[in-house]
Structure formats: C-alpha cells, structure tokens
Amino acid sequence: MPEWLRVILFIIFVLSFAGLNAAYLVWCERKGAGHIQRRIGPKEVGPFGLLQPLADGAKLMSKQLFLPKGVDPILFMVAPLMVMVPAIMSFCVIPFSETFVAREINLGLLMIFAFASVNVLGLLLGSWGSANKYALIAGARCVSQNVAYEIPMLITTITMVMVTNTMNLNEIVRSQAGWFIHWHIFRLDMSLLMPVSFLIFFVCSLAETNRAPFDMAEAESELIAGAYTEYPGMGFGVFFMGEYANIVIGCALTAILFLGGWQAPIPLNFGGFLGVLWGMSWFFLKLYALIFTVIWIRWTYPRTQFYELLNLSWKVLIPISLFNLILTALQIKIFPWL
Amino acid sequence: MLLAKIKEALQSLYEDIGDAAEIPAAADAVAAAATAAAPEAETLPEEATPEGEESKEEEVEETAAADAPAAAPPGPKETDYAAKGYHLDVELKPEKIPAAADILYRENFFIESITGVDWIDEQQLEAVYDFNHFDELCRVVIRTRTDRNNPEVPTISHIYQGANWHERETHDFFGIKFSGHPNLEPLLLPEDADFHPLLKDFKA
Amino acid sequence: MNGTLQQDVNQETFTLNLGPQHPATHGVLRVKLVMDGEYIVEAEPVLGYIHRMHEKMGENRTWAKFLPNCGRMDYLSALSYNHGYVAAVERAAKIEVPERAEYIRVITVELNRISSHLLWFGAFVLDLGGFTPLLYAFDDREFILDLLESVTGSRLTYCYFRFGGVYNDIDDAFIAGTREFIKKQRKRMPMYDALVTKNIILIKRLKEIGPISKDMARRYGATGPVARGSGINYDVRKHEPYSVYPELDFDIPVYEEGDSMARYMVRMDEIEQSMRIIEQALDKLPEGEIKPKKAVKMVKPEKGDYYHAVEAARGSFGVRLVSDGKNQAYRLKLRSPTYSNLSLYGEATKGMLLPDALALMGSLDLVIPEIDR
C-alpha cells in the first residue's frame, strides 16, 4: 500500500472513529448510567435508542451559534477546536493492532503528551473568552488541576519508559508479548510497584480528562457548566467530543502501557488481515473495559472537593510516583538480572 | 420555673416607666391594658370610640381568663397554654423591646418569628415577637403597639441576628420601621416595592 | 443596590450571583456572593422570587378555603403544613379531633416526612456531584407517593386534613402497603449507608464543613435537623407534644458536631425514627370516626390570638392566628422553618470555599416556596 493512500485512509478512519466514538460513548454512558440507576436510558430513537446520538448531533448542529455579549469572539470560537484537534491528532500514533497504526514513530508517547497539554489551554481560553465568572473559576481550577496531575502522570511514564527502553508505543506493546502475565501490570520483576504505577496513571488520566470524581471544569452543581457555561449548540458539542476523545486517549494509553495493548492474553497470533482483526478486538476490549470503569466511577461517586484533589496529587501521588521511579531505577541498575 | 423567672425579669421593664401617672389608678384591667398599649401622650380619637373599647375588652378578658385576677397590674400575663399556645403574653412600649429581647437572650431563648398585625380600627400597628426555649417549653409573646401613620419600633437585630430578616419581612408587609436596623430593604417584595400588602387598606 | 454588600474596586474581590437560576439552589433563590478567588467574603441571600403572599390570602378567604394553600408552601412535606394549620384552627375554635383521625394524621405526616427526607438525600448528594442516589431515593419515594395518593387523592400538594379530622379513612390496603414499604425501606437503608454515607469522598466533603454552633442556631432561630445537628435537642414533637405523639415511643437524633455531616446524619436517622412512629401508630390505630360526629360547618374562633407549632420536615412550623370572631382570619402568620434556617447562611459561610458553601446550603434543606411563601 502506498504511503499516501495509507495516510488518507487513516485520516478518514481516525476522524470517523473519533466522531462516532464520541457520539456512541455518549450513548454508552447514558445507557450505562441508566442501568446503574435502575432505569432504561435512551430507548425511543431507533432500536435500543441507537439513533439517539444522531438525533442529538442533529439538534446540536441545527442550533444557532450564538455569541453572548462581551465574549472574545476569536478565543471563544477557537477554544473548542483546541480541545478537539489535539485529541484527534493523538490517534495517529495509537497502535490499534500491530500493523494498524497510522504512523509508527519513535517518540509516540512524547507526542501524545505534547498534544494532551494543549487540551487545558483550550479550556482556559474558552473560559477566559466566555466573559463569565463561573467559566473563569472553572478555567482557573482546570489549569491548576492539569498542572498538578501532569507531574505524577509523567513521572510514571518515565518509569515505564525506563523499563521498556522505548517511547515507541508499538514497541512497548510488542515487549508484552506472550501470556497475560507478561503484561506490564503483572511484571513485578521489572518494577516492584507496577500495579501502583497503573493505578496512579489511571487516576491521573481521569483527572487530566476532567472526569468524575475530578470533574472540576464542569462541576455542574457548583459552576453551572463550568468552562462550557456560555457555549451554545455545536460549540458545546465539539467540547464534548473533545472530552470523549481525550477519555479514549487516556484509556488507550493505559491499555498500551500496562495491559498489553493489542496483545491477546494467550500467545496466539495470526498474520495478515485476521491478525489485524484479532489485535484490534483485544485492544478495543481492553479500551472499552477501561472506559466502562470510567463511566462506572462517574455514576457512583460524588465529586471531590478541589483542595482534596490537589492534596491527593501533591501529597500522595507525586511522592509515591517519585519513590516508584527511584525504586525502579535501583531495580534496573542493581538487580539487572531480575 | 423558667416561666416564673422570666416573668419576674420582664416585670422589671414595667417598673421604671417614667410616666406611671398616666396609668389610671382606678382602672380595671381593660383601661390599664389599653393605656399601656397606646403610645404615650397620644390620645387617638379611635381609642375613645365604643367599638375600639369593646374589642379591647373582650380580648383582654380572653387573655386574662386563665389568670383570674380582674385588676391585673401592667406586666407580663400568664396565659392558658392549652387554649392559646403560648405561656407568657407581654405587652410593652416600643422602646422597651430591645431591653426585653436582651433579657430573653440572656435566658437562652431563641427567636421564632416577628410579625405585625394591623389594627386599623384603632389606627395602630402591632408588632408581635415570638420567643421560645430549646430546653424547656416556654413560649413568650412580646407585643408592642405603635402609631399606624408613623410606625416605628427599635430593632433587636443586634441582639438576635435572626431578627434581621424577620424585621425586614415585617417592614415589607406592614411598613413598620425598625429604627437602627442595618439594612431595612425589601426582602420578600421586589426591591423597589413601596407598598405594604398586609395593611388592611391595601388594594392591589 | 443592597447596602450591606459594598464592593471596593481596589480590592481583589468580585461579585458572583449564585442564582436565581442555579442548579444548587433548587429553585429560584439568589445568593449574592462577594468572592475573593474561590473564597466567599460575604454572602447575602436574596429572596422573594416566588413570593405569593399566602398570608394575605389567608385574610381574604374563609378558614376552610385556606386549606389548599397549605400544600403549596412546603411542597415536599405538605402534610406537616396541613397539620400545623388545622391544629392551630382547632385550638382556636376548640374543635375536638377523634383519636383515629389523630393517628391517621401522624401516620401520613411521618410518611410525608420520610419522602421529604429521601428527596433531600438524593438532591443533597446531587449537589455534591453524585448522581445515582437521587434516582434510588426517587424510586423509594415513589412508593410513598403511591400510598399517599391512594388515601389523600394527590401526590404532592396534599389537602388532606380537615378541621376536626381527615378527609378520607385509611383502608387495609394502605396499612398493608405501609408495612411493606417499611420492610422494604429498612433493607434499603444499609445500601445507602454503604453507597453514600461511608463513601470517603462524601465524608471528606462534609466532615467539619460548614459548622453551625449552638449559639448561632439560637441567635438565628434555627430549628429542625439544622438545630439538632448542632447539638440542640429540640423537636416540637417531643418538646411541645401535640396530636398523639406523646403516646408513641421514638428518639430524637441529635449530633453535637454542627457540621454538614451532622445534619446529614440527623436526617438519615430520622427516616428510621419516622418508620418506628408509623409502625407503632399502625399497631395502636383505634377504630372509630375520622371526623367529629357533628360536622364542622362554620368555623368561627373566638376573638384573640392563638399559636400552634408542629415539627415539619425542615423544622418548627408555627401558625399564629389572630381572629376577630369572623369566619376568616384577621391575621394569619406562617412561621416557616427554612426562612430562619437560611438566615444564618451569611454568617456561616464567611471565608468558606464555594463548593463547601454549596454543601452547607444543601445541608440546610431549602424549599424555596416555603421560604418565600
């Protein structure tokens, strides 16, 4: 397959995946919330309410793009895109299967983190441009939250890079081949605190994507809709898609780093097209299991208080992840045969 | 026990009434109550009318029924709790209200509500304060009457902070000015309201 | 506009209008906040958005015609308001109530109290960002609403009590349904305990947040669960017994801490106590009339003023009647508990963070139509 065709196909795939995924994650979330709350959830539009996302999308798109008085029009319009676009860009390096990856680059991990940091800038600009006090509070919260949680997340990532010796996501997955005990989360021989690393990384990705119980940017019972307060129609819709795309990125990274990405739990691999399907199905299984956990947490727990959130990061996660880093480094250098 | 104590404490508010001479010595309970109620020195025409007198008479008889003595001196009156729902009925001059609230405050009473009654026939506005006690059942009602055309009662919001809103509400509905109140602006009514809907002559 | 809120332009504070359309105020309440970052410098509630002047309506219609108004103030525990009003009029007009009617009143009022607390529970956790308990609480509450609908004819704005009795007798189906509800609810409470009360996030958000001292409660006249959460053992049902409460055995949950958690625990414990009351009342329910033998046609209380207080779900609800002997009130004062409970909000929230202040507001259990009347 020529390179240009591959890239075009991948752009189509990534865009449609990000869009559909966001739409159907909303449906999943509503269905999931419904079952957790002992009700049915969407059921009117189409079978099992499966066409509900289309109806929602049509509603959002047909709404007037209204600019409230006093907003900064450029920042206001650009902000949703700044949340959405980097999230989609990150999909380019995610290995859905061994061969099903747009660009296998050596610094894939670094690229995802670089793009993920733009997300918070988008939220901040949107909340600043909204000329709304609630949005501004949410923006300020969002920045301090993201700064606080990026640190333990990155330290944990460094730990992982140390044990795998690569930043290439596909290489990281390949290094977990074999039985499921070769997945990094079970590799205590690589780093004693591997499950802890997994937990820290998952919690941080929850916080980075502003999901409950850390949804300080939205906090609807405190800040109305937080940073999104003034956004009408599709402006809000794009924010929303960006948020869901970020959740997918966060969960995908967790799956790749710790749960073996597209590796099956048994040492069984196929070649060709079947291999692509085999790898993708395992990857998506892990991905959606993690996403379900995220949804589950959201509909079970109340929201944390903001200073508790920061305390958790600065007083608990950062020291533990630093300790973990040093321990892993020692383990690699002093007991390299392990 | 608390009742007797508080009754005695409130009685002291009657003793230093400077113009004691104005209270007719001969009087029966009716006149005494009526005079104590009326703002001093102002003899309102309505008060002399038979109707006003009559309505007064019945009311006082009602409250005094449990207490028996016909010629009660001015002071806190114990009432029949089962019939009325409160224990002590205290009628004071407006300027004595903060002192009374202070006495109750020191006895650990809490404030239930403040409200007004428009006695249009007598051209008077009555402010009614309800106090209650957390530990012992003792409901004290303090009431004061003021001129309907220029109603003014000193505030007690510096003693009971909770009175702040009750006084604002009473000002909204009756126009009673609580002098010394920090922020006597409409609370339940619109902020530009200049009417007092619970006055009997209010027409929407 | 408001004298007490003066903003110095040189200081780094800003004014934030919380409401009148805000998810956490549960209605049209507005709180003017002067904020320093996320810290509250000053908070002043602005009331009256749904003020309907029920007290004036009381002066314009006969005693009986005011009955439907009682269900439209505290729409979550409307029967307590019914009870307070009819009890006050009965005291004034010296109307005897048959014992069976009193028992029915207690049973329905306590059911209504449970439904009110359940709704509060759900809405409070929703304020804290937890969605799911609201739906569970509504599920339970639905059971009560069905029960009460079968006997009162309405689901929310009850007008069930009459002077001297109640409108409708309860039947065996109601009694069986109530017992079944209690059985079911007793099984549900441990689930709420595990899901919500013992949740570490919830505990961290409520413990030592929004303290209300005994003294503050007294100065502002706070009653009900707010006072009981501050260590004040005050419940009108025990303190000033009315109806058949003296014949029933129940406890008053009191917590000393005065924080939001204490108020939360008081209400959760009260659900159990109300169920105890209902069980005993059902056991003791006597046979007999539910209305006086001679129908009460024209209520004309004697001249004078009367007071009667009952324990509504949110605190002490008092009715002060001034009668001039006619068939309608000369003056009808309704003492609403949350009006007093909310008045301490400005003092209690000084220096607090916004989310904590909203947790405090939720723990006061506000029903705006009752505050504005």
Side-chain angles (χ1 to χ4, degrees):
Chain A
M1 202 185 293
E3 180 71 16
W4 58 269
L5 184 63
R6 192 184 156 89
V7 168
I8 287 175
L9 283 179
F10 238 92
I11 289 173
I12 294 169
F13 170 75
V14 162
L15 279 178
S16 54
F17 175 71
L20 272 178
N21 189 59
Y24 277 91
L25 269 187
V26 175
W27 179 85
C28 289
E29 173 134 36
R30 287 173 67 179
K31 272 288 185 194
H35 283 290
I36 288 171
Q37 296 170 349
R38 299 185 187 184
R39 53 191 176 82
I40 300 169
K43 71 175 183 74
E44 290 294 330
V45 191
F48 307 108
L50 272 172
L51 299 179
Q52 184 72 45
L54 296 181
D56 286 348
K59 188 200 82 173
L60 283 174
M61 276 186 241
S62 61
K63 277 194 168 179
Q64 184 192 1
L65 265 185
F66 175 75
L67 277 186
K69 197 179 155 194
V71 303
D72 183 322
I74 297 172
L75 294 187
F76 191 76
M77 300 305 273
V78 161
L81 296 177
M82 290 188 69
V83 174
M84 181 71 184
V85 172
I88 293 177
M89 293 295 286
S90 305
F91 279 108
C92 291
V93 291
I94 300 268
F96 291 89
S97 132
E98 180 155 23
T99 46
F100 200 78
V101 50
R103 275 274 171 175
E104 195 180 322
I105 54 175
N106 282 336
L107 292 176
L109 204 52
L110 194 64
M111 180 185 150
I112 287 185
F113 280 110
F115 278 122
S117 317
V118 183
N119 170 29
V120 61
L121 186 64
L123 275 175
L124 179 66
L125 290 185
S127 59
W128 177 262
S130 298
N132 180 307
K133 289 169 189 166
Y134 287 105
L136 193 60
I137 293 177
R141 280 179 174 193
C142 202
V143 171
S144 52
Q145 176 183 345
N146 274 269
V147 168
Y149 278 84
E150 229 155 57
I151 298 168
M153 197 173 190
L154 286 174
I155 295 175
T156 315
T157 314
I158 293 171
T159 318
M160 293 313 294
V161 171
M162 266 163 48
V163 299
T164 54
N165 270 323
T166 177
M167 279 182 142
N168 182 330
L169 290 171
N170 223 350
E171 281 300 321
I172 292 177
V173 178
R174 278 189 204 109
S175 70
Q176 305 177 60
W179 290 92
F180 64 89
I181 45 163
H182 289 105
W183 295 354
H184 283 151
I185 186 172
F186 301 118
R187 293 292 296 270
L188 297 189
D189 54 330
M190 282 177 156
S191 159
L192 273 175
L193 291 176
M194 209 48 125
V196 178
S197 300
F198 167 74
L199 213 61
I200 292 176
F201 194 87
F202 188 61
V203 168
C204 290
S205 69
L206 271 185
E208 285 281 296
T209 50
N210 295 318
R211 280 293 292 195
F214 309 122
D215 52 342
M216 292 299 146
E218 197 170 345
E220 73 296 306
S221 63
E222 292 157 20
L223 303 177
I224 303 176
Y228 319 136
T229 306
E230 297 287 351
Y231 277 91
M234 213 47 208
F236 175 74
V238 171
F239 261 131
F240 222 68
M241 279 164 73
E243 192 191 310
Y244 278 100
N246 275 320
I247 294 169
V248 176
I249 297 288
C251 290
L253 264 189
T254 317
I256 290 165
L257 286 178
F258 294 97
L259 301 178
W262 43 261
Q263 299 279 9
I266 46 171
L268 177 66
N269 279 309
F270 303 97
F273 188 64
L274 193 62
V276 171
L277 278 187
W278 177 250
M280 267 178 96
S281 35
W282 280 110
F283 179 72
F284 279 118
L285 192 70
K286 291 167 190 173
L287 177 65
Y288 283 107
L290 284 171
I291 290 176
F292 174 73
T293 315
V294 171
I295 291 174
W296 190 10
I297 290 174
R298 159 134 191 226
W299 296 103
T300 308
Y301 288 126
R303 183 179 309 113
T304 50
Q305 170 56 286
F306 190 62
Y307 49 78
E308 292 292 345
L309 174 88
L310 293 185
N311 280 350
L312 178 68
S313 172
W314 293 105
K315 293 187 181 167
V316 181
L317 296 184
I318 292 181
I320 291 181
S321 56
L322 272 175
F323 176 71
N324 184 19
L325 177 71
I326 294 166
L327 194 78
T328 311
L330 285 177
Q331 201 172 343
I332 290 171
K333 279 289 160 200
I334 299 175
F335 311 105
W337 58 88
L338 268 176
Chain B
M1 212 179 82
L2 180 66
L3 183 63
K5 193 174 167 194
I6 199 73
K7 190 178 175 190
E8 196 187 315
L10 287 169
Q11 182 72 47
S12 68
L13 293 175
Y14 288 84
E15 280 158 12
D16 58 339
I17 292 176
D19 41 22
E22 275 192 23
I23 298 170
D28 51 356
V30 182
T35 328
E40 45 180 331
E42 280 183 54
T43 42
L44 297 157
E46 277 77 5
E47 215 178 314
T49 60
E51 294 148 34
E53 201 79 308
E54 216 170 77
S55 71
K56 204 87 208 159
E57 188 167 32
E58 281 182 33
E59 201 191 328
V60 172
E61 260 173 22
E62 176 71 42
T63 47
D67 235 3
K77 283 186 274 300
E78 276 186 50
T79 52
D80 177 14
Y81 170 74
K84 301 291 255 177
Y86 51 88
H87 296 90
L88 203 59
D89 188 348
V90 189
E91 180 137 13
L92 288 169
K93 288 189 179 182
E95 62 268 23
K96 294 285 177 196
I97 294 291
D102 200 44
I103 289 171
L104 292 166
Y105 181 78
R106 270 185 265 123
E107 290 298 329
N108 283 329
F109 277 77
F110 74 92
I111 184 159
E112 280 231 338
S113 69
I114 300 176
T115 187
V117 185
D118 178 17
W119 299 105
I120 193 165
D121 293 339
E122 293 141 56
Q123 283 295 305
Q124 283 179 338
L125 279 178
E126 186 178 13
V128 186
Y129 299 71
D130 280 295
F131 292 94
N132 194 359
H133 203 276
F134 279 133
D135 305 324
E136 210 173 315
L137 179 55
C138 181
R139 287 190 182 272
V140 178
V141 178
I142 293 185
R143 47 183 96 229
T144 183
R145 291 204 177 199
T146 171
D147 179 17
R148 195 168 181 277
N149 298 315
N150 183 26
E152 198 169 337
V153 177
T155 181
I156 61 164
S157 58
H158 54 288
I159 304 167
Y160 282 100
Q161 279 75 6
N164 186 320
W165 279 18
H166 292 298
E167 284 177 356
R168 278 172 78 181
E169 182 193 320
T170 312
H171 176 254
D172 280 10
F173 292 169
F174 293 93
I176 297 177
K177 283 185 211 58
F178 289 91
S179 48
H181 191 286
N183 179 26
L184 204 57
E185 278 173 42
L187 179 65
L188 289 170
L189 296 183
E191 48 212 15
D192 55 350
D194 53 355
F195 46 86
H196 303 295
L198 276 182
L199 293 177
K200 289 282 172 189
D201 53 3
F202 170 78
K203 291 277 176 289
Chain C
M1 192 165 62
N2 273 292
T4 52
L5 283 182
Q6 274 166 357
Q7 200 178 347
D8 184 353
V9 287
N10 297 320
Q11 276 184 348
E12 303 254 317
T13 60
F14 63 97
T15 311
L16 187 68
N17 269 307
L18 194 80
Q21 307 284 339
H22 188 282
T25 56
H26 300 295
V28 278
L29 168 72
R30 175 169 138 224
V31 186
K32 268 178 96 171
L33 299 169
V34 177
M35 309 276 292
D36 179 7
E38 272 206 54
Y39 286 93
I40 291 171
V41 180
E42 219 174 315
E44 189 190 319
V46 180
L47 314 178
Y49 285 92
I50 38 171
H51 173 56
R52 289 149 296 169
M53 199 77 254
H54 278 291
E55 297 180 7
K56 187 78 175 178
M57 290 187 224
E59 293 177 16
N60 288 336
R61 51 191 67 182
T62 59
W63 297 105
K65 279 186 182 168
F66 187 72
L67 277 170
N69 288 50
C70 300
R72 280 155 181 82
M73 278 171 281
D74 184 351
Y75 57 86
L76 295 182
S77 70
L79 282 172
S80 299
Y81 269 60
N82 273 248
H83 200 177
Y85 177 66
V86 294
V89 174
E90 279 157 7
R91 172 173 271 165
K94 300 190 175 60
I95 300 170
E96 290 287 323
V97 186
E99 211 185 358
R100 184 178 172 86
E102 287 284 20
Y103 271 99
I104 294 174
R105 281 181 185 181
V106 166
I107 292 165
T108 48
V109 162
E110 294 302 324
L111 274 177
N112 203 196
R113 190 188 312 277
I114 296 174
S115 84
S116 167
H117 281 350
L118 280 174
L119 190 138
W120 165 83
F121 162 75
F124 182 49
V125 183
L126 185 65
D127 279 353
L128 303 174
F131 294 80
T132 302
L134 178 79
L135 276 293
Y136 289 1
F138 263 71
D139 199 10
D140 294 346
R141 181 170 168 268
E142 198 64 20
F143 212 106
I144 302 182
L145 294 192
D146 287 344
L147 280 174
L148 287 176
E149 187 186 7
S150 73
V151 57
T152 66
S154 46
R155 290 174 69 82
L156 202 64
T157 52
Y158 307 109
C159 174
Y160 177 50
F161 297 170
R162 299 289 185 269
F163 302 131
V166 293
Y167 158 69
N168 199 358
D169 203 352
I170 58 177
D171 52 13
D172 291 343
F174 175 85
I175 294 173
T178 310
R179 286 194 193 279
E180 194 189 326
F181 164 75
I182 291 174
K183 219 170 118 194
K184 186 183 75 87
Q185 193 59 30
R186 286 230 165 96
K187 284 197 194 121
R188 294 277 273 190
M189 298 313 282
M191 183 189 82
Y192 292 147
D193 223 40
L195 177 67
V196 182
T197 314
K198 288 187 184 141
N199 184 312
I200 178 82
I201 298 177
L202 186 100
I203 293 172
K204 287 230 173 189
R205 286 214 56 181
L206 297 185
K207 268 252 159 39
E208 287 164 34
I209 298 297
I212 295 174
S213 67
K214 245 180 199 180
D215 182 59
M216 200 198 286
R218 183 169 73 84
R219 280 185 288 121
Y220 284 93
T223 50
V226 177
R228 291 195 283 279
S230 302
I232 295 169
N233 189 354
Y234 177 76
D235 187 313
V236 184
R237 289 173 295 175
K238 274 265 194 248
H239 191 75
E240 193 177 351
Y242 57 95
S243 195
V244 289
Y245 282 111
E247 292 159 37
L248 304 166
D249 175 37
F250 61 101
D251 298 324
I252 304 299
V254 177
Y255 283 79
E256 295 290 332
E257 293 87 350
D259 53 8
S260 297
M261 193 69 193
R263 292 186 282 281
Y264 172 88
M265 290 309 295
V266 166
R267 292 203 181 86
M268 295 310 275
D269 289 358
E270 269 184 13
I271 294 179
E272 169 58 28
Q273 294 304 323
S274 289
M275 290 195 287
R276 271 180 73 193
I277 294 175
I278 294 168
E279 276 186 327
Q280 294 172 45
L282 285 175
D283 289 341
K284 291 187 178 176
L285 184 69
E287 293 297 318
E289 296 292 316
I290 54 155
K291 287 172 194 163
K293 287 202 181 65
K294 214 173 117 235
V296 182
K297 282 200 179 121
M298 190 63 102
V299 181
K300 279 191 180 176
E302 286 174 39
K303 275 185 190 177
D305 61 343
Y306 307 89
Y307 196 88
H308 196 290
V310 295
E311 182 75 16
R314 270 148 270 276
S316 150
F317 165 60
V319 180
R320 164 169 289 284
L321 298 178
V322 181
S323 166
D324 57 352
K326 299 215 179 73
N327 65 349
Q328 58 192 39
Y330 187 79
R331 172 86 179 93
L332 176 67
K333 160 76 185 171
L334 305 158
R335 190 262 180 202
S336 115
T338 25
Y339 186 79
S340 297
N341 291 357
L342 179 63
S343 69
L344 54 75
Y345 192 68
E347 188 178 322
T349 53
K350 275 219 167 70
M352 208 179 255
L353 279 165
L354 180 65
D356 288 344
L358 291 173
L360 170 62
M361 186 191 279
S363 75
L364 293 178
D365 192 6
L366 304 178
V367 171
I368 311 300
E370 182 203 28
I371 296 171
D372 287 351
R373 278 160 296 149

